[in-house]
Amino acid sequence: MALDQSFVGRSYPPTAPYEVGREKIREFAEAIGDTHPAYTDPAAAAELGHPDVIAPPTFAFTLTFRAAGEVIRDPALGLDYSRVVHGDQRFAHTRPVRAGDRLSVTSTIESVKSLAGNDILDVRGEVRDERGELVVTAWTKLVARAARDESAENTGKQGE
């Protein structure tokens, strides 16, 4: 079943604020193997002009993926998440995410396409601080693979 094209442009309500903690930043940096001192040492971050430790650029994914869950779970959209693979991810930062930030994400469906039986969904997540200022925009591409024809697969005639 193809995704509902009328969802293009639909925005979902902002998420509840997420308070970014030093320990979460440290854990994330450690998990991705990035040892930059500004991620763990407030003095190193201060030397770079930041009021506290900053997060690696991809840390925003932890927030935007959670927010995109509302889009994914919207039954009216028609997305079969059991067939979804992550197609692409990109970020545009206006400033780094910092410890102590209270961030909310608004998700908007930018495009819905069908290609070779696959449904492709592009979601933009705008991450804003408690003053409403944009911190980072993240774009996530999800691909719902075409359902396999199991009857053809069982007879060896898949794709015919």
Side-chain angles (χ1 to χ4, degrees):
M1 178 172 125
L3 297 178
D4 188 339
Q5 293 285 324
S6 72
F7 276 65
V8 173
R10 180 175 290 193
S11 290
Y12 291 78
T15 61
Y18 173 91
E19 187 164 344
V20 179
R22 284 182 183 171
E23 187 64 12
K24 289 292 182 185
I25 292 172
R26 184 196 63 75
E27 289 171 351
F28 187 86
E30 186 176 275
I32 64 170
D34 195 329
T35 59
H36 193 289
Y39 303 150
T40 56
D41 181 2
E47 285 179 22
L48 296 173
H50 302 291
D52 205 332
V53 296
I54 60 173
T58 55
F59 181 86
F61 180 76
T62 62
L63 304 167
T64 59
F65 181 72
R66 182 180 299 163
E70 190 171 347
V71 176
I72 291 165
R73 290 186 300 275
D74 187 338
L77 177 61
L79 181 67
D80 179 357
Y81 193 69
S82 69
R83 298 184 297 121
V84 170
V85 294
H86 189 234
D88 190 27
Q89 187 73 51
R90 62 189 171 95
F91 302 93
H93 290 264
T94 53
R95 69 162 174 84
V97 171
R98 302 183 287 237
D101 277 341
R102 291 179 48 80
L103 304 174
S104 296
V105 182
T106 300
S107 296
T108 301
I109 297 175
E110 285 205 328
S111 71
V112 173
K113 299 178 242 178
S114 290
L115 183 63
N118 299 312
D119 289 324
I120 302 168
L121 178 68
D122 290 301
V123 179
R124 182 182 73 243
E126 292 184 350
V127 180
R128 295 184 180 274
D129 65 19
E130 59 191 347
R131 293 181 309 279
E133 294 176 7
L134 184 65
V135 175
V136 60
T137 303
W139 290 269
T140 303
K141 183 180 297 292
L142 301 174
V143 179
R145 297 165 294 159
R148 296 189 317 212
D149 182 352
E150 291 184 24
S151 62
E153 185 177 295
N154 292 336
T155 63
K157 297 181 181 179
Q158 186 173 9
E160 289 182 18

